[in-house]
Amino acid sequence: MTELILALDVPGREEALRLLDRLPALRWVKLGSVLMTAEGPPLVRELLGRGLRIFLDLKWHDIPNTVSGAVRSARELGVHLVTVHASGGPEMMRSAARAAGESLAVVGVTVLTSTGTQAASVDAEVERLTSSAVESGLSGVVCSPLEIERVRPLVGAGRLIVVPGIRRPGDPLGDQARVAGPAEAVRRGATHLVVGRPIRESADPTATLDEFLAVI
């Protein structure tokens, strides 16, 4: 079953909680660099206390020792899913996988969804980085909806395919270049859909979330 993750890309705690109060059906939230820098672990603990599952999307890309330390801290904090850049290399990814243990999933970011389809090397690079992430022991990858069918046989059963760049017809693209609708991403094999602005900026976030959940 595909799960939906709300990208909680808001400036601070108050805005986050006001939005979450309107979305009782939500199970997952993504915290990125902006909100995590502003609020830090106390907000993570508060959201965990609400029964939410936490995707900490900080896209670590550093020397193996630093990345393993960050992953270990995330595991001890109690989050459920984190990202590293697959371009950081096998040694870095192996160290992240070891630090994660059994309770934390680490997925490798392949090519950001802001990179346009005009880049002829995108498909090949996504495949290369997916293979490297799987061989390094990660729990899966992050890719755009356009590459799901390419990475699915490389990822194999039991691993995650986390997919941002989800837009319905008529949704503004913003800075997203490689996009598809939620039904298409589910059909292609996404395990998790990351949806932000279409829900956050909706006049009725509750109804919009319900619409996405009905699709998946």
Side-chain angles (χ1 to χ4, degrees), residues 194-211:
V194 181
V195 182
R197 280 167 282 194
I199 295 173
R200 291 197 318 271
E201 298 177 2
S202 170
D204 188 345
T206 307
T208 303
L209 173 62
D210 288 343
E211 179 183 334

Side-chain angles (χ1 to χ4, degrees), residues 1-7 23 25-30 52-53 55 163 166 182 186 190-196 199 208-216:
M1 175 181 171
T2 305
E3 298 198 72
L4 184 141
I5 304 174
L6 174 67
L23 303 172
L26 194 65
R27 295 186 66 244
W28 277 90
V29 293
K30 177 182 84 72
L52 291 165
R53 296 177 69 80
F55 173 23
V163 181
I166 302 300
V186 171
T191 63
H192 295 76
L193 304 185
V194 181
V195 182
I199 295 173
T208 303
L209 173 62
D210 288 343
E211 179 183 334
F212 275 99
L213 293 176
V215 168
I216 68 174

